[in-house]
Amino acid sequence: MWTSRPDGGPERLVALVDGVFAIALTLLVLDISVPRELDPAAYREALRELLPDIGAYALSVAVLGSFWRGHRGIFKEVREVDGQVIGISIVGLGVAALVPFPTRLLAEYGDQPVSVAVYAGAVAALGACHLAVAAVLAERPWLRRDRPSEAATRLYLLDSAVIVVVFLATVPLVFVTGPWIMWLWLVLVPAKVYLGRRAQNRN
């Protein structure tokens, strides 16, 4: 049976998270470029061909930015971490560092169901790690400060779970419906707004 043994403050873990997310965000933009010395027609065509790249880039920036902000919120009231929190966080960072790869697949082969499935699976895995860290800390008040933590509430955990469910559902559905199932991800916008407002009303 797992025994929770505090292993110091969260500062170094939070710094590592900041660094990994910063690198992942930087890697997203490295493949966006236009060749030099193009004539006007070729230049316009090159810009048009960049639209899928920019769309995939914007999507992944929103995804990674949301998880980074959520991670900081989770650790806002944490005074100590244990081995399990560190272990789950490392797995999550490994997935976050991988996000540029499925982003490239989505940009170049977005019409292929496998690309959408790989991207959705990566985001679902990242969301699952995020949810697991929040759930573990919610069950271990001795790792948190005396003040109540928003990340320990059921609404916050539900908010995190919605992301996992929506992206995970995309993985099998894309092979039945085709790549257009990506539009299902827009369901997250009103869902997160609704849950966010409910959380604010409870505070």
Side-chain angles (χ1 to χ4, degrees), residues 147-163:
R147 295 188 297 273
S149 172
E150 177 189 350
T153 64
R154 289 184 178 180
L155 278 176
Y156 185 90
L157 297 176
L158 178 60
D159 188 4
S160 300
V162 167
I163 298 175

Side-chain angles (χ1 to χ4, degrees), residues 21 63-64 67 91-93 95-96 99 121-131 164:
F21 272 83
V63 168
L64 289 175
F67 281 118
V91 173
L93 291 178
V95 179
V99 167
V123 176
L126 181 56
C129 293
H130 182 86
L131 176 60
V164 178

Side-chain angles (χ1 to χ4, degrees), residues 154-178:
R154 289 184 178 180
L155 278 176
Y156 185 90
L157 297 176
L158 178 60
D159 188 4
S160 300
V162 167
I163 298 175
V164 178
V165 170
V166 170
F167 277 93
L168 195 59
T170 305
V171 176
L173 288 177
V174 69
F175 294 102
V176 178
T177 64

Side-chain angles (χ1 to χ4, degrees), residues 51-122:
L51 291 178
D53 298 69
I54 294 173
Y57 165 78
L59 174 62
S60 291
V61 167
V63 168
L64 289 175
S66 175
F67 281 118
W68 173 79
R69 184 174 182 272
H71 192 275
R72 291 184 68 85
I74 289 173
F75 281 82
K76 186 177 180 180
E77 301 300 337
V78 173
R79 60 183 178 84
E80 290 185 298
V81 294
D82 60 17
Q84 191 170 24
V85 171
I86 294 172
I88 298 171
S89 295
I90 294 298
V91 173
L93 291 178
V95 179
L98 186 66
V99 167
F101 170 66
T103 301
R104 176 56 26 200
L105 289 181
L106 203 63
E108 296 185 358
Y109 301 99
D111 59 340
Q112 298 296 317
V114 173
S115 299
V116 179
V118 170
Y119 187 90

Side-chain angles (χ1 to χ4, degrees), residues 19 27 44-45 96 114 129 131 139 149 152 165 174 188 192 202:
L27 291 176
R44 289 191 294 271
E45 178 64 19
V114 173
C129 293
L131 176 60
E139 294 177 353
S149 172
V165 170
V174 69
L188 290 169
K192 290 184 71 65
R202 286 198 171 190

